């Protein structure tokens, strides 16, 4: 007996898509997409100037407060006194304070002394002296009142700075080598390309509604200090066999809860093409990026699903209108530390001097002091790094020694310990609504403890401290990555602590940190734990072996 055929479904539903515009899915599939469709985030600027700054915090539309404000670098900060156990339980309005974090873009990282002093004045006048240097070369203020924002913008814009698209589903700050244009070993100076993209596209409505954030790195640094492997798009300086210099392009890097390393497209990009290729990749992301689920809306998921070959094909055929030639891979990074801390020669005979504030935490007064030290020794510009450090540029040879002495006297160390040099921390529960634990002060105390306990340890070792799972401090690619969470101590109490990732790295042998079953530590136990594992490494390492390499072969008992 034959089975009767099923009747045709006359009400066939279109299969649910990922919200990709290029495939016809234009209707918003979540609240964030609906808010962006209702009004471009760029439009909130005028409401802040005309309405909210005049009528105060209570006048702010919630869709602007927790959404579009980000398009101009504004997040409400965490209300004091709310412990980490309530982070995922309370509603946003219960976590919101009436003050803001305000993020200032420093594309490429370099600042004139005039710009630095304006940032310092804003810190002191409006932000209770706060000014954190981030691992993307931004400066973040806290305690900002909405009434002050227009004046802050006026001051920043008068010296060529901005908060436009410093946050939100937009092209965020473009990071670059802090010593671009002066480094004696750089492959190519990427500053012109950063400026070109900034001038052409930042604040352009064509790119103000991306599926999620879009992070860019452009650099020809020999140390690869901009960590191109973990950016959404990165242009890395390369040189052809005939001496022609340009860029190798990478796409799809990113960390957070689903870390992925960027993929080379294998294409050589001439300097004058960079802005076109950048706009093409951003457009692919805008049109084909996933918009249904926020946690899958980064470009890394599209690149992972398509692969580099298909991505390059779509980019060239649908957006560029021309094929890019194949090009070489970048040279391996110079040295064991991908930063610019210390004293180094410039190609013009001068020197640059890199120094280490504590985990990026500075104050308005310290920024003024840095400007004064630079000026006193003949420099007119400084830079922020992607390791939460700073650099003074253009120091004459006869001024280096006295400048170093002045910086060291101010606890801005030019020759820091490994722990001071290579420990980073995100904002943490002090101000961040997503955080579960405190980070900045804990990381600073950890540095002090390790310097006292391990004064002779000099190997490269990155320690990255994060207050939540989102990896703002890049925990998965750190030698010791510390992800904040609540843990149970020996007395059965729930306290601040960390899940520990070991042996993450980028560069020669890239990979994400190893998780050892049950490996956690309370905040109080952390110095003992780190001391123990570092001593194990120091006693067991082979000649030239890095911490990440040792972790891969170490016994679990030596990692606990």
């Amino acid at each position: 007996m034959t089975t009767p055929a099923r009747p045709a479904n006359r009400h066939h539903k279109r299969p649910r898509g990922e919200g990709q515009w290029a495939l016809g899915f234009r209707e918003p599939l979540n609240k964030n997409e609906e808010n962006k469709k209702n009004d471009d985030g760029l439009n909130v600027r005028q409401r802040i100037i005309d309405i909210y700054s005049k009528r105060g915090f209570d006048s702010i539309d919630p869709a602007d407060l927790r959404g579009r404000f980000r398009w101009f670098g504004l997040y409400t900060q965490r209300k004091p006194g709310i412990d980490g156990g309530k982070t995922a339980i309370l509603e946003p309005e219960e976590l919101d304070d009436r003050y803001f974090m305000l993020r200032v873009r420093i594309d490429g990282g370099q600042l004139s002394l005039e710009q630095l002093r304006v940032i310092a004045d804003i810190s002191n006048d409006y932000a209770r002296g706060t000014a954190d240097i981030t691992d993307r070369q931004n400066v973040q203020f806290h305690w900002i009142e909405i009434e002050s924002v227009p004046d802050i913008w006026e001051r920043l814009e008068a010296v060529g700075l901005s908060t436009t698209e410093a946050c939100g589903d937009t092209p965020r700050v473009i990071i670059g080598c802090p010593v671009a244009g002066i480094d004696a070993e750089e492959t190519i100076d990427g500053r012109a390309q950063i400026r070109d993209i900034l001038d052409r596209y930042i604040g352009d409505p064509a790119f103000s509604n991306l599926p999620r954030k879009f992070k860019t790195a452009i650099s020809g640094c020999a140390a690869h200090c901009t960590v191109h492997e973990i950016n959404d798009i990165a242009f890395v300086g390369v040189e052809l066999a005939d001496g022609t210099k340009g860029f190798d392009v990478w796409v799809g890097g990113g960390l957070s809860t689903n870390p992925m390393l960027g993929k080379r497209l294998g294409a050589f990009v001439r300097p004058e093409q960079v802005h076109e290729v950048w706009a093409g990749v951003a457009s692919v992301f805008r049109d084909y990026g996933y918009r249904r689920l926020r946690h899958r809306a980064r470009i890394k998921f599209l690149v992972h699903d398509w692969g580099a070959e298909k991505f390059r094909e779509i980019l060239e055929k649908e957006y560029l209108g021309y094929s890019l030639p194949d090009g070489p891979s970048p040279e391996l990074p110079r040295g064991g530390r991908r930063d610019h801390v210390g004293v180094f020669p410039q190609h013009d005979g001068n020197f640059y001097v890199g120094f280490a504030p504590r985990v990026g935490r500075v104050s308005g007064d310290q920024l003024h002091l840095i400007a004064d030290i630079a000026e006193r020794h003949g420099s007119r510009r400084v830079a922020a790094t992607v390791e939460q450090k700073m650099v003074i540029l253009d120091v004459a040879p006869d001024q280096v020694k006295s400048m170093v002495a002045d910086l060291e006297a101010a606890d801005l160390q030019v020759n820091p310990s490994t722990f001071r040099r290579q420990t980073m921390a995100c904002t943490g529960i002090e101000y961040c609504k997503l955080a579960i634990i405190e980070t900045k002060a804990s990381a600073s105390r950890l540095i002090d403890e390790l310097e006292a306990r391990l004064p002779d340890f000099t190997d490269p070792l990155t320690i990255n401290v994060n207050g939540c799972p989102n990896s703002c401090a890049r925990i998965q690619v750190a030698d010791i990555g510390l992800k904040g969470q609540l843990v149970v101590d020996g007395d059965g109490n729930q306290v601040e602590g960390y899940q520990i990732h070991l042996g993450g790295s980028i560069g020669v042998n890239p990979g994400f940190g190893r998780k050892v079953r049950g490996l956690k530590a309370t905040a109080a136990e952390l110095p003992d734990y780190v001391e123990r594992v570092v001593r194990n490494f120091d006693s067991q390492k082979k000649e030239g072996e890095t911490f990440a390499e040792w972790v891969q072969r170490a016994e679990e008992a030596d990692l606990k």
Side-chain angles (χ1 to χ4, degrees):
M1 185 176 69
T2 59
T3 303
R6 282 184 166 181
N9 183 356
R10 297 180 182 177
H11 304 287
H12 177 72
K13 291 184 178 180
R14 186 180 184 187
R16 182 173 67 169
E18 292 284 357
Q20 294 165 282
W21 288 359
L23 301 184
F25 294 96
R26 297 297 298 238
E27 285 305 306
L29 297 176
N30 58 54
K31 187 67 174 178
N32 296 89
E33 290 298 313
E34 184 179 332
N35 287 341
K36 290 188 288 182
K37 183 177 181 180
N38 289 341
D39 189 29
D40 192 317
L42 294 174
N43 295 333
V44 80
R45 175 186 169 99
Q46 210 55 45
R47 291 196 288 277
I48 291 172
I49 293 171
D50 294 340
I51 302 172
Y52 303 143
S53 66
K54 293 180 169 61
R55 299 182 186 175
F57 186 89
D58 292 331
S59 70
I60 303 172
D61 184 323
D64 286 345
L65 181 66
R66 299 181 192 96
R68 302 182 192 102
F69 268 30
R70 299 175 187 180
W71 270 243
F72 287 90
L74 286 158
Y75 282 94
T76 48
Q77 67 186 42
R78 188 187 190 96
K79 191 178 296 181
I82 300 175
D83 67 60
K86 296 179 180 176
T87 295
I89 298 173
L90 298 179
E91 295 298 320
E93 57 269 22
E94 297 177 282
L95 288 167
D96 286 335
D97 203 352
R98 298 170 69 87
Y99 298 94
F100 294 88
M101 180 272 282
L102 179 61
R103 182 178 295 161
V104 182
R105 302 177 67 114
I106 308 173
D107 293 87
Q110 295 186 3
L111 291 165
S112 69
L113 295 192
E114 181 185 24
Q115 290 173 323
L116 182 62
R117 286 186 168 119
V118 166
I119 290 172
D121 284 339
I122 292 171
S123 169
N124 286 337
D125 293 346
Y126 296 114
R128 301 188 186 181
T130 60
D132 288 345
I133 302 164
T134 77
D135 62 0
R136 291 199 65 82
Q137 297 177 312
N138 298 298
V139 168
Q140 290 182 174
F141 300 123
H142 301 285
W143 300 108
I144 299 296
E145 297 177 306
I146 192 63
E147 292 86 350
S148 306
V149 171
D151 184 57
I152 293 171
W153 283 342
E154 188 174 326
R155 292 193 191 190
L156 290 171
E157 289 161 11
V159 292
L161 295 174
S162 172
T163 71
T164 302
E165 296 182 335
C167 310
D169 297 349
T170 66
R172 304 280 185 96
V173 65
I174 305 168
I175 61 174
C177 176
V179 295
I182 61 172
D183 185 4
E185 297 184 10
E186 74 178 351
T187 302
I188 189 171
D189 179 359
R191 290 176 300 170
Q193 286 67 44
I194 293 173
R195 174 52 60 182
D196 201 12
I197 293 170
L198 185 64
D199 291 344
R200 289 173 184 269
Y201 304 120
I202 303 308
D204 183 345
F207 299 107
S208 63
N209 182 357
L210 301 177
R212 283 291 300 274
K213 67 184 81 169
F214 188 66
K215 297 181 177 181
T216 303
I218 302 176
S219 174
C221 173
H224 296 324
C225 70
T226 57
V227 290
H228 57 272
E229 301 96 330
I230 54 173
N231 281 268
D232 294 292
I233 180 171
F235 295 89
V236 187
V238 292
E239 184 173 352
L240 301 182
D242 65 2
T244 302
K245 294 182 178 182
F247 296 90
D248 187 45
V249 61
W250 296 53
V251 293
L255 297 179
S256 193
T257 53
N258 289 283
M260 299 182 194
L261 295 174
K263 292 181 170 61
R264 289 187 63 236
L265 294 189
F268 179 77
V269 181
R270 299 193 310 273
E272 66 273 16
Q273 293 176 306
V274 167
H275 76 88
E276 295 176 347
V277 175
W278 181 93
V281 172
S283 297
V284 174
F285 179 42
R286 178 194 62 208
D287 299 341
Y288 284 99
Y290 305 148
R291 293 175 181 261
R292 182 168 65 87
L293 300 174
R294 290 286 287 176
H295 70 270
R296 274 182 51 83
R298 295 290 295 276
I299 195 174
K300 64 186 177 183
F301 293 100
L302 181 66
V303 174
H304 177 267
D305 291 348
W306 278 6
E309 184 178 349
K310 178 178 177 179
F311 192 99
R312 179 174 171 180
E313 180 183 0
I314 296 291
L315 170 67
E316 292 176 343
K317 289 183 177 179
E318 296 187 20
Y319 292 90
L320 294 180
Y322 57 83
S323 295
L324 295 165
D326 293 342
S329 300
E331 296 288 334
L332 293 176
R334 174 201 67 206
R337 292 181 171 94
R338 293 170 66 166
D339 66 15
H340 297 284
V341 175
V343 179
F344 297 92
Q346 300 180 181
H347 62 62
D348 61 2
N350 290 320
F351 290 82
Y352 66 83
V353 180
F355 57 92
R358 286 179 173 269
V359 292
R361 175 135 291 177
V362 292
S363 66
D365 288 346
Q366 280 182 302
L367 294 179
H368 269 303
L369 178 59
I370 292 165
D372 291 343
I373 291 172
E375 186 171 44
R376 183 159 63 245
H377 295 280
S379 170
R380 296 298 307 167
R381 54 188 182 137
V382 302
T385 81
V386 301
E387 303 291 332
Q388 301 180 334
K389 308 302 186 287
M390 294 188 73
V391 184
I392 296 177
L393 312 178
D394 309 323
V395 184
D398 63 354
Q399 294 293 314
V400 170
K401 185 176 180 179
S402 57
M403 172 178 281
V404 170
D406 285 351
L407 288 169
E408 296 276 354
D411 194 30
L412 299 168
Q413 295 181 12
V414 178
N415 300 292
S417 69
T418 284
F419 308 113
R420 175 74 169 261
R421 179 172 182 169
Q422 293 193 277
T423 298
M424 294 199 305
C426 73
T427 300
I429 202 169
E430 186 177 8
Y431 300 116
C432 179
K433 293 180 295 181
L434 300 177
I436 301 168
I437 68 163
E438 191 279 326
T439 54
K440 292 285 191 182
S442 296
S444 186
R445 288 193 298 271
L446 178 62
I447 291 169
D448 290 341
E449 287 281 350
L450 295 175
E451 286 178 341
R453 300 180 187 200
L454 299 163
D456 299 322
F457 183 81
T458 58
D459 286 41
L461 184 80
T462 53
I463 302 175
N464 294 13
V465 185
N466 217 75
C468 78
N470 287 330
S471 200
C472 294
R474 311 200 298 254
I475 53 172
Q476 294 100 330
V477 293
D479 288 312
I480 301 176
L482 303 171
K483 182 173 76 173
Q485 58 182 221
L486 297 179
V487 300
V488 177
D489 68 11
D491 297 323
N493 300 311
Q494 195 175 61
V495 297
E496 291 191 352
Y498 307 90
Q499 181 187 70
I500 298 168
H501 299 239
L502 293 174
S505 64
I506 47 181
V508 179
N509 295 304
F512 300 123
R514 174 180 174 183
K515 296 183 204 175
V516 178
R517 186 189 301 273
L519 185 53
K520 299 178 182 179
T522 67
E525 294 168 341
L526 187 63
D528 289 342
Y529 168 74
V530 176
E531 178 189 4
R532 186 165 62 248
V533 76
V534 171
R535 286 191 185 278
N536 289 341
F537 161 65
D538 207 28
S539 65
Q540 298 176 17
K541 67 186 177 184
K542 299 176 182 177
E543 182 70 26
E545 188 173 36
T546 67
F547 183 86
E549 291 166 343
W550 170 76
V551 166
Q552 295 309 309
R553 67 173 181 84
E555 298 292 334
E556 283 201 6
D558 293 323
L559 302 178
K560 291 186 175 180

